[in-house]
Amino acid sequence: MPVYPPEPFRIKEVESIRLIPPKAREAALKEAGYNLFAVKAEDIYIDLLTDSGTGAMSQEQWAAILRGDESYAGARSFYRLKTAVEDIFGFKYFVPAHQGRAAENILCACLVKPGQYVPSNMHFDTTDANIRARGGRPENLVIDEAFDPTILHPFKGNMDNAKLKAFIEKVGAVNIPFGMVTVTNNAGGGQPVSMENLKAIADVYHSNNIPFFIDAARYAENCFFIQLREPGYAHKSVKEIAHEMFALADGMTMSAKKDAIVNIGGLLCMNEGILFEKVKNELILREGFPTYGGLAGRDLEAMAVGLYEGLDETYLSYRLGQTAYLAARINEAGIPTIQPAGGHAVYLDAAATLPHIPQQEFPGQALSVELFREGAIRGVEIGSVMFAHPDLETGQVVYPKLELLRLAIPRRTYTQSHMDYVADTLAHIKTRAANVHGFRFTYTPELLRHFTARFEPLK
Ligand SMILES: *Cc1c(COP(=O)(O)O)cnc(C)c1O
């Protein structure tokens, strides 16, 4: 059992949480159409829906918020952020955006034409949807080990280079406006990508004249995994590793709500001047003037501070340790999780936990409902509700390889006893797993359907 790392902070402000009684939980589920996104946050006791924008900001960040310059153009806060972004990422140009998907939207609007392809190890759901929304086709080329939850591979987020080369050959490099890689691989278990793999991917993209963009939402966690696990990196700082990583790429998108530990914000960076001109025009149309990009000056300040706090190695060691501890306690309760534990979240193998529920009846959704019913805990399904889709050519539904329930851990927010409560609740569910039933849709929107779909239980 990994030791729980003592938090490298103390608490000076608290937010009360309350556990509502079982009857109220049942009523909340019914009203929400059994979709946890529709449950009131007040009715959740431990909220592990996402680590996105849910972290606790530091006193330095709150102090920076008071220094926010709200000038429409050229605000001091923009230049503070610019200094931090240039120092950490090193790209020539950048714009702020209100969150990661806004950066993706701008990038896709500028580069993706109908019928074009965008490969990655695994696209996150918003990236996938933004590419599709422009008529493009996202392609996931992660190594096969990523689909076996039991294999202990140190860099399970790696892209399969042979698959990438074959894919480029098949569709033609001219039909690929840019290629990506997601660090860490959120959709595949929060698993890191090695520097060796990043270098190989960059080589393949560049030898085919394909611009290379990194989805950098959790780049700091990825760089810390590289320091821990990759030969030759133990003595490099996380910041040095980040420099090496971003020097390989032509640009990046980032949800600052992740490793920049802010409640709202995003970044789009690039080296190419012509693209930057297009990006600025699109940004002005969709988000705002290029020196604020849909954010308030105070948000830019908090991001500038948070980018450095997210790189702090004592913090990163605590964060990855907390995640590993929760995973180990859940495994102890007999529930398998993706191995090894990822950076920001524990991914429960719902298909293995509820083997009697077939994919078309959504085992991940069933487990998420059960976790709320038993302990008012909220996780999120990452499986067929999120990713099953009709094949463009045949119309047949394509199911994802894994049916997962993700428990994402907000940064600097919950303590060891909260993690123990989650593991103990799952242990109770495990004892009556055979009686848990599946679900069917009663409503599905066209894109990103997991957010607003409604369900009914199958008896
Ligand atoms: C969260 C996330 C995004 C989207 O960012 P938002 O800020 O939620 O819009 C994109 N990619 C990855 C890997 C993410 O985790």
Side-chain angles (χ1 to χ4, degrees):
M1 173 73 53
V3 177
Y4 189 90
E7 286 83 2
F9 50 80
R10 56 184 177 180
I11 296 164
K12 76 153 89 167
E13 185 183 290
V14 295
E15 180 181 3
S16 296
I17 49 177
R18 70 194 167 114
L19 180 59
I20 61 169
K23 258 202 185 132
R25 286 178 232 158
E26 207 54 52
L29 277 173
K30 209 169 212 181
E31 198 187 319
Y34 298 90
N35 183 341
L36 277 297
F37 278 102
V39 172
K40 285 189 192 120
E42 258 197 341
D43 292 341
I44 312 274
Y45 185 46
I46 308 290
D47 200 350
L48 307 182
L49 178 70
T50 176
D51 63 324
S52 180
T54 53
M57 289 211 294
S58 67
Q59 59 183 358
E60 301 306 326
Q61 286 177 295
W62 284 110
I65 276 186
L66 291 182
R67 287 194 297 267
D69 175 357
E70 305 301 342
S71 303
Y72 190 93
R76 188 174 63 234
S77 301
F78 170 76
Y79 288 100
R80 284 236 170 85
L81 178 63
K82 185 169 188 280
T83 303
V85 169
E86 285 172 356
D87 177 37
I88 295 169
F89 303 109
F91 294 105
K92 276 197 194 126
Y93 308 106
F94 96 99
V95 290
H98 80 271
Q99 53 188 97
R101 75 196 65 187
E104 293 161 3
N105 176 30
I106 306 282
L107 185 68
C108 291
C110 292
L111 292 181
V112 178
K113 295 195 182 68
Q116 289 189 323
Y117 297 85
V118 182
S120 185
N121 50 350
M122 280 176 96
H123 291 287
F124 185 61
D125 59 354
T126 59
T127 325
D128 183 289
N130 267 303
I131 294 164
R132 287 183 200 277
R134 301 288 164 182
R137 297 177 188 194
E139 181 74 19
N140 295 331
L141 302 171
V142 73
I143 55 172
D144 290 337
E145 285 89 334
F147 300 112
D148 184 340
T150 62
I151 295 181
L152 277 167
H153 187 294
F155 293 103
K156 252 180 163 173
N158 281 356
M159 182 120 109
D160 187 324
N161 232 359
K163 281 191 210 165
L164 176 61
K165 284 179 194 158
F167 181 74
I168 295 172
E169 186 108 325
K170 189 176 97 182
V171 306
V174 291
N175 295 314
I176 302 178
F178 62 96
M180 294 191 83
V181 68
T182 311
V183 298
T184 58
N185 181 17
N186 186 358
Q191 300 290 327
V193 180
S194 72
M195 189 68 82
E196 185 187 21
N197 189 246
L198 287 161
K199 285 179 182 163
I201 296 164
D203 273 354
V204 175
Y205 283 143
H206 290 151
S207 62
N208 285 283
N209 286 320
I210 298 167
F212 173 27
F213 279 74
I214 295 177
D215 178 340
R218 298 181 186 79
Y219 81 98
E221 291 174 11
N222 198 101
C223 290
F224 195 69
F225 275 123
I226 288 175
Q227 189 195 64
L228 289 178
R229 294 179 185 173
E230 191 161 352
Y233 288 91
H235 302 295
K236 291 194 176 158
S237 72
V238 170
K239 193 175 168 198
E240 283 166 341
I241 297 169
H243 283 160
E244 193 174 329
M245 175 190 284
F246 292 109
L248 296 169
D250 302 292
M252 62 173 238
T253 57
M254 180 176 179
S255 170
K257 300 168 73 170
K258 318 290 168 54
D259 278 1
I261 325 182
V262 286
N263 301 128
I264 195 75
L267 293 170
L268 172 57
C269 305
M270 73 226 78
N271 283 330
E272 228 258 88
I274 298 169
L275 175 61
F276 183 53
E277 290 308 311
K278 277 193 203 159
V279 161
K280 278 193 290 185
N281 289 331
E282 189 69 23
L283 192 86
I284 288 169
L285 189 64
R286 309 267 170 218
E287 292 277 297
F289 192 71
T291 62
Y292 73 83
L295 293 169
R298 53 181 171 272
D299 301 325
L300 306 175
E301 289 277 348
M303 208 195 306
V305 176
L307 278 169
Y308 287 105
E309 292 183 0
L311 278 174
D312 182 288
E313 296 184 18
T314 308
Y315 154 75
L316 283 168
S317 171
Y318 142 76
R319 172 144 179 84
L320 270 52
Q322 183 183 41
T323 309
Y325 173 85
L326 177 62
R329 284 239 35 214
I330 290 172
N331 296 155
E332 200 183 47
I335 293 182
T337 58
I338 291 188
Q339 298 295 336
H344 67 294
V346 179
Y347 294 70
L348 282 57
D349 186 340
T353 310
L354 305 171
H356 57 289
I357 302 179
Q359 278 195 291
Q360 61 271 21
E361 293 177 12
F362 310 124
Q365 189 64 26
L367 192 54
S368 82
V369 167
E370 224 41 48
L371 194 52
F372 180 78
R373 183 174 274 140
E374 179 78 34
I377 298 160
R378 175 156 69 172
V380 66
E381 191 258 15
I382 299 199
S384 288
V385 174
M386 198 180 262
F387 288 121
H389 62 275
D391 183 85
L392 286 179
E393 267 93 49
T394 67
Q396 283 245 342
V397 177
V398 184
Y399 287 96
K401 297 199 171 102
L402 299 177
E403 295 291 338
L404 304 170
L405 174 65
R406 186 188 72 179
L407 304 179
I409 307 180
R411 291 165 182 76
R412 308 186 291 207
T413 303
Y414 291 114
T415 62
Q416 180 174 9
S417 52
H418 293 127
M419 297 298 114
D420 286 336
Y421 173 79
V422 172
D424 294 344
T425 303
L426 281 161
H428 285 145
I429 293 171
K430 172 73 183 170
T431 62
R432 54 175 182 76
N435 301 324
V436 175
H437 47 69
F439 283 85
R440 81 169 148 243
F441 281 127
T442 56
Y443 163 73
T444 52
E446 201 187 325
L447 286 173
L448 295 172
R449 63 183 184 179
H450 54 285
F451 287 130
T452 53
R454 293 181 68 84
F455 302 85
E456 68 184 13
L458 291 160
K459 288 279 151 97

